[in-house]
């Protein structure tokens, strides 16, 4: 691992990753007994219900990329969006409230984990449809260009499964045709739901497809937060300068199953074991210790994250449910009230 | 300009000019819009407003619709051109799961003020993939407004209203109405959700929209000659639909016939008929196309057309 970060910048990245991990670990525990289409027992006792897509092991990508973003930059996400949302600056407690389905959540309990969003920090939403964020991202970037909004940019996270859907190709072509300020970030975690992506993907993947459309692509070890940070720093600067779209292809690994209740029994245990040896948080901790950061400093970061998450769980648990009448708001203004 | 004679397509151009003049956030994106659109419904706009506001796009319906969603979230008011309703299906996730759901799903954090124009209906000799009437699909979809104008005046006034309303709008012009000429008062904005009473009568309520208003009006003339006075209503907006105008007429006449070009089965006529029967106890009947794809040869295409004679016969049966 290499980094030439300013003092404490490494600790900041470490803190972002640790908060994501702590948040998702807590959410997973709170989802036990939840609804499943993967053979686990359904139950109403879970605090976090419905599909919960965890990004355990992928934390280095949002931490390294979002370190270069401003609040006024836009971000679109995938169904695995907790890490992106936290890294973009969303409030952790309000996120937990949304996962609990409470009125105090970002979406008032209307979206849950799969639609986590905080528009106030430019995070335009996690999405339940693979590749759906890509066309939305190029539209947001197109608006930034037309509205001449300083040098704001849009960052679009998507997975390796998304590159086999048409909207990926349409969006990349669109971004290049209009030379839009958009950074595409492929979080290549090697799995498409419960199917390995490799055998389902012709050619060399996201970066090769971007190159075919004259979009400069950079491949990076997505479990090395310093490498992601460094690559993203250059790409974000290029996009901000008006050079047009860029693609970052981050090679990482999906440690958990597709959803929290998916035990991923279809996967070779050796593959997981190998991946765990490159855990991005452990690697970053080792590197920071090597560069002279005190263990106590890193321990304090971890403890603070756990405390913050514990508080968020308590707040979310105590928070009120939405009023039933909220089911009828935010649908549409034209014809509001005409429900039948 | 005020009152002048315009075609259905020219009326749309005029509406866009007025809205683009009034609001710099209004942009147009779609295939061939720089050349005026395939029906002339954007004629001259790129020359007037520039290629940055009237944006020629690749053939990428998913990206056109999805980019429209992103543009709307970022503060623009896009008019999204889908060429024909049949092609809008290539951007269906972007319309159904994204545009229609965004505001609710994210708890009102964002809104999608987007107008998706998708010409519908039978286009002469254009066969199964260029002649569909899919308005009922969209009326079934919470979160969107569905509009289908039948006259140049309404195409002007409803398009302006659609652009001003702030919700995602599915705007279905008819593929063969573009040349229809009529007087247009360009100071008018036609309110969404308000039907128009085109003929007055007490024997029967007849509800239709879009191109089908023409055979319905002809049928009303034929029925009037036989002493049957029909209350003919142009729905204009399918969602929200004008329950008050339709149901008050049904309560008065006691009989409702809904006529549409779309396939009759699971069509929007069923929704209106059921609502009227529930609310007023009136007798109802529907008249639409058989559940077959539209054929190419004239004799085959004719099987999908609902003509004046069929409307007259259905009305007499109901009134008798």
């Amino acid at each position: 691992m290499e980094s030439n970060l300013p003092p404490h910048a490494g600790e900041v990245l470490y803190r972002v990753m640790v908060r994501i991990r702590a948040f998702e670990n807590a959410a997973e525990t709170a989802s036990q007994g939840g609804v499943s289409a993967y053979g686990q027992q359904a139950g109403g006792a879970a605090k976090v219900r419905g599909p919960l897509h965890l990004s355990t092991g992928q934390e280095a990508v949002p931490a390294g990329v979002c370190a270069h973003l401003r609040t006024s930059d836009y971000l679109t996400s995938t169904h695995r969006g907790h890490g992106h949302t936290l890294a973009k600056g969303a409030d952790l407690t309000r996120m937990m409230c949304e996962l609990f389905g409470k009125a105090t959540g970002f979406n008032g309990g209307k979206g849950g984990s799969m639609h986590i969003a905080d528009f106030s920090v430019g995070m335009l939403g996690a999405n339940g449809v693979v590749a759906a964020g890509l066309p939305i991202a190029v539209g947001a970037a197109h608006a930034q260009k037309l509205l001449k909004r300083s040098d704001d940019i849009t960052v679009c996270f998507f997975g390796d499964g998304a590159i086999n859907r048409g909207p990926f190709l349409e969006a990349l072509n669109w971004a290049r045709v209009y030379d839009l300020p958009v950074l595409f970030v492929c979080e290549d975690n090697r799995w498409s739901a419960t199917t390995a992506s490799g055998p389902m993907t012709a050619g060399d993947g996201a970066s090769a497809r971007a190159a075919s459309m004259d979009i400069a692509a950079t491949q990076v070890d997505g479990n090395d937060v310093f490498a992601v940070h460094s690559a993203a720093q250059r790409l974000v600067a290029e996009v901000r300068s008006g050079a047009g779209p860029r693609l970052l292809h981050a090679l990482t690994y999906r440690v958990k199953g597709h959803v929290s209740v998916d035990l991923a029994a279809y996967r070779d245990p050796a593959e997981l074991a190998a991946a765990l040896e490159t855990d991005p948080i452990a690697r970053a901790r080792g590197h920071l210790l090597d560069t002279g950061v005190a263990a106590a400093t890193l321990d304090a970061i971890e403890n603070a994250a756990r405390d913050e998450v514990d508080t968020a769980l308590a707040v979310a648990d105590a928070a009120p449910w939405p009023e039933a009448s909220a089911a009828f708001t935010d649908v549409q203004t034209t014809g509001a009230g005409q429900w039948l | 300009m005020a009152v002048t004679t315009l075609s259905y397509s020219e009326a749309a151009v005029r509406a866009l000019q007025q809205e683009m003049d009034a609001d710099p956030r209004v942009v147009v994106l779609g295939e061939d819009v720089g050349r005026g659109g395939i029906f002339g419904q954007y004629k001259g706009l790129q020359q007037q407003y520039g290629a940055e506001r009237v944006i020629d796009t690749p053939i990428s319906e998913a990206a056109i619709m999805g980019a429209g969603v992103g543009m709307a979230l970022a503060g623009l008011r896009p008019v999204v051109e889908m060429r024909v309703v049949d092609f809008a299906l290539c951007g269906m996730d972007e319309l159904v799961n994204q545009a229609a759901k965004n505001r609710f799903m994210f708890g009102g954090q964002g809104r999608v003020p987007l107008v998706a124009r998708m010409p519908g209906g039978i286009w002469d000799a254009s066969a199964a993939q260029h002649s569909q009437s899919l308005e009922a699909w969209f009326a079934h979809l919470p979160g969107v407004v569905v509009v289908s104008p039948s006259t140049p005046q309404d195409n002007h006034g409803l398009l302006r209203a659609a652009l001003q309303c702030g919700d995602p709008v599915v705007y279905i012009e008819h593929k063969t109405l573009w040349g229809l000429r009529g007087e247009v008062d360009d100071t008018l904005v036609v309110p969404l959700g308000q039907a128009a009473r085109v003929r007055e009568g007490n024997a029967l309520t007849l509800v239709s929209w879009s191109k089908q208003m023409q055979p319905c009006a002809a049928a009303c003339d034929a029925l009037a000659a036989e002493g049957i006075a029909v209350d003919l209503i142009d729905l204009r907006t399918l969602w929200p639909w004008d329950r008050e105008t339709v149901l008050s007429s049904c309560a008065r006449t006691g009989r409702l016939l809904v006529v549409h070009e779309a396939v009759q089965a699971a069509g929007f006529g069923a929704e209106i008929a059921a609502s009227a029967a529930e609310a007023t106890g009136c007798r109802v009947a529907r008249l639409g196309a058989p559940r077959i794809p539209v054929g190419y040869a004239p004799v085959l295409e004719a099987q999908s057309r609902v003509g004046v004679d069929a409307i007259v016969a259905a009305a007499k049966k109901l009134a008798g």
Side-chain angles (χ1 to χ4, degrees), chain A residues 119 127 149 170 178 332-334, chain B residues 56 63 74 98 109 143 167 239:
Chain A
F119 282 45
N127 207 305
R149 265 202 209 154
E170 292 194 15
Y178 302 107
Q332 58 189 88
T333 298
T334 315
Chain B
D56 280 311
Q98 313 302 329
Q109 294 187 70
D167 290 312
W239 203 276

Side-chain angles (χ1 to χ4, degrees), chain A residues 74 106-107 110-111 115 117-119 127 129 132 135-136 139 142 146 149 170 174 178 327 329-330 332-334 338 340, chain B residues 52 56-57 60 62-63 66-67 70-71 74 93 98 103-107 109-111 143-145 167 239-241 243:
Chain A
Y74 289 130
F106 277 117
N107 313 4
K110 291 176 174 177
H115 306 304
D118 180 4
F119 282 45
N127 207 305
V129 180
I136 295 173
H142 209 138
L146 293 181
R149 265 202 209 154
E170 292 194 15
W174 189 286
Y178 302 107
T329 59
D330 302 320
Q332 58 189 88
T333 298
T334 315
Q338 193 164 322
L340 296 172
Chain B
E52 284 209 334
D56 280 311
T57 68
S60 298
M71 286 178 173
D93 169 65
Q98 313 302 329
R103 183 176 170 192
F104 180 86
M105 187 166 77
F106 297 122
Q109 294 187 70
R111 289 189 67 170
V144 299
V145 176
D167 290 312
W239 203 276
W241 67 282
R243 298 173 69 93

